[in-house]
Amino acid sequence: MPDRTLVDLGAVSALEATAGPGRPARPGRSAAARRRRVRLAWLCLWVLSVLWSVRSFVSDRDGVLNSGGLAALIEFWAHALTPETSPDFLRATWDATLTTLAFAVLGTLLSVAVGLALAPALSQTWWRPAGASTPERVLRRAGLLLTRVTLALPRGVHEAVWGLLLLIVLGRDPLVGVLAIAIPFGAITAKVYAEMLDEADHAPYDLLRAAGAGRVTAMAYGLAPGLVPGLTSYAFYRFECSIRSAVILGMIGAGGLGLQLSLSFAGLQYGEMWTSILALVVLGGLVDRWGALLRRSWGGRAWRLSGVGFGLLAVASWWSLAPDPGSLATERTRVLFARLAEEMLPPQLPAGGWSELASRSVETVQMSVVAISLAVALGVAVSLVAARTSRSPAGRVLGWVARQLLLLTRAIPPPVWALLVLFVVFPGPLPGALALGIYTFGILGRLFAEVVEDLDGRPREALSALGASAPVSFAYATVPAAAGQMIAYSLYRWEVTVRETVVVGIVGAGGLGRLLEQQRAGFDYPGMASTILALIAVCVAVDLLSMTVRTTLR
């Protein structure tokens, strides 16, 4: 039987979040009433935040919609049925798809290697005092805090920002795409693996330590063997994320399908864009199916074959990209890196000073609030149809169509959605929020559908047997049972969405990402440093707020 607790995104989100152990819920009716009041209070605050954000987006403008771009948007969608199919372009698309896949494979492997290497030092198990004196306990706690704070920087900066910085130092080198994925994902993976070490059964570890084994030996032989399924499952989840990141990195110059999409859009070649998008949909669908197969068959033949297949992919990716790690140690790289560090430090405020930085930070949070609200609303509605719970032929057909819609929306990267929305919405934070909302809807809709599929269907069937319509049955039987997991997913994606505001801002959609792109274009490196620090501060603030919400809702 597959271990769902190790592969479920709910577990992943709990591990990736900064939350510590939650306050135990008080049993009884008063605890339930308290949770209802807390949920209502958070809901009211959220609704007010959405209204405030939307009002600020539209209040300072003469108009929001750009009717002049409607014809171009219609022309784009019309080309969905007539993608570019010339042999030369199909060959170029095939090569670009392999490049994107190669970046994702090598980036995932390196991030997992970084995660395995750093996880022990990030775990409480490593720093746990065993009969230590008070000063030693204080030092150990300080050591744990220092290691976690050190990794907060690479974890908090989006891979697109790492890509921009690495392009300055390495130029158009294959290592840019690999390292831009591996640096933030390695830090995230290390934190998740550290949490897995802390949550494992420590009896074998304690026995080995009592027998005189060192901490590394005790972890390797007492904890690691039981964690292999979870470590492997999370690595594959990171592979799915790396595919999407590789496309975004391609749009800023790393190559692959992202670069091809950007070039086609610049030339308004909509047929070519749809060929690239369909390649993304196929690639995303294959990875989704691969992941779903592994989740259902832990330890079986599929896992062994997958291990062999991923190994072959890694060899082929290395051969295809031919990265040269030695280029990191050349004199030229050292000089360029030192020059970049010298130019970025100390950070300087952008034109407009603190008020400009603060207003862009607030705008970033507002974009994330509107985006996640749109995604949750659409995701809940579509998950009713997309979940594999219908037994009628018509319901199954509608379910298949809904799942393909979700696949399409999450296969197209947020910058492309932003460029499309900019056809009909004037530039600003609103198109960025809408683009992120559409993209996140594809992810949340799939997760919500899986939650619905895992529920006991008898309450909804009972309501349907009494004559209730499908929406009513869903609202009264399914939503209450799934609300907890849906809220957890939504909060987790909110944290991710804040980081992803950077990638839509880079194409001019607003927030700190737009400011960062303006500073990069103007070679304002000290300004870029201050913007990156502001982005990290916003991400940490949202992480803490999300943690507070989760804790109070338990």
Side-chain angles (χ1 to χ4, degrees), residues 199-518:
E199 292 188 3
D201 179 9
H202 279 63
Y205 173 83
D206 292 337
L207 286 174
L208 288 170
R209 289 286 286 155
R215 283 177 290 186
V216 173
T217 303
M219 283 187 175
Y221 290 96
L223 298 180
L227 294 176
V228 171
L231 299 176
T232 308
S233 295
Y234 185 77
F236 199 89
Y237 166 72
R238 273 293 139 204
F239 177 46
E240 297 178 21
C241 298
S242 296
I243 294 277
R244 292 190 280 268
S245 297
V247 177
I248 294 173
L249 289 168
M251 300 190 73
I252 62 173
L257 281 172
L259 178 61
Q260 183 167 289
L261 265 173
S262 299
L263 295 175
S264 299
F265 191 88
L268 299 180
Q269 300 297 318
Y270 300 135
E272 293 183 0
M273 285 189 69
W274 272 107
T275 304
S276 302
I277 290 171
L278 291 175
L280 279 174
V281 170
V282 172
L283 183 60
L286 289 174
V287 172
D288 277 358
R289 296 299 298 172
W290 192 358
L293 176 64
L294 294 182
R295 292 184 183 97
R296 289 195 300 265
S297 58
W298 158 244
R301 184 182 177 190
W303 276 80
R304 292 190 292 275
L305 291 176
S306 295
V308 174
F310 202 86
L312 293 175
L313 271 178
V315 173
S317 299
W318 186 273
W319 176 80
S320 173
L321 294 180
D324 179 16
S327 63
L328 295 174
T330 62
E331 180 64 16
R332 176 181 177 276
T333 301
R334 189 191 66 76
V335 170
L336 289 176
F337 179 77
R339 184 183 301 168
L340 177 63
E342 183 180 349
E343 291 177 346
M344 293 188 74
L345 299 175
Q348 292 182 4
L349 292 172
W354 284 108
S355 61
E356 172 69 7
L357 202 59
S359 65
R360 296 284 188 168
S361 300
V362 171
E363 198 173 80
T364 297
V365 176
Q366 289 175 321
M367 288 169 63
S368 69
V369 169
V370 173
I372 200 66
S373 303
L374 176 65
V376 169
L378 294 176
V380 170
V382 174
S383 65
L384 167 64
V385 182
R388 294 179 174 86
T389 55
S390 177
R391 297 177 181 175
S392 67
R396 291 177 180 176
V397 171
L398 286 175
W400 183 86
V401 172
R403 289 190 292 276
Q404 302 319 302
L405 173 65
L406 294 174
L407 177 59
L408 175 66
T409 51
R410 67 175 180 269
I412 299 177
V416 175
W417 280 120
L419 292 171
L420 294 176
V421 175
L422 283 170
F423 276 139
V424 292
V425 181
F426 286 115
L430 183 59
L434 294 177
L436 284 173
I438 296 169
Y439 170 74
T440 308
F441 151 66
I443 297 174
L444 280 182
R446 172 199 169 194
L447 295 173
F448 289 172
E450 291 179 353
V451 170
V452 173
E453 291 171 2
D454 290 341
L455 292 177
D456 184 356
R458 286 175 294 183
R460 189 171 57 175
E461 292 172 358
L463 284 176
S464 299
L466 292 173
S469 63
V472 171
S473 301
F474 181 77
Y476 286 93
T478 303
V479 171
Q485 272 191 285
M486 288 183 173
I487 291 172
Y489 286 152
S490 302
L491 290 172
Y492 165 66
R493 285 306 309 182
W494 182 37
E495 298 169 14
V496 176
T497 301
V498 172
R499 294 177 70 244
E500 289 183 337
T501 55
V502 172
V503 296
V504 295
I506 286 176
V507 298
L512 286 170
R514 184 175 184 182
L515 178 61
L516 190 67
E517 175 58 17
Q518 291 170 346

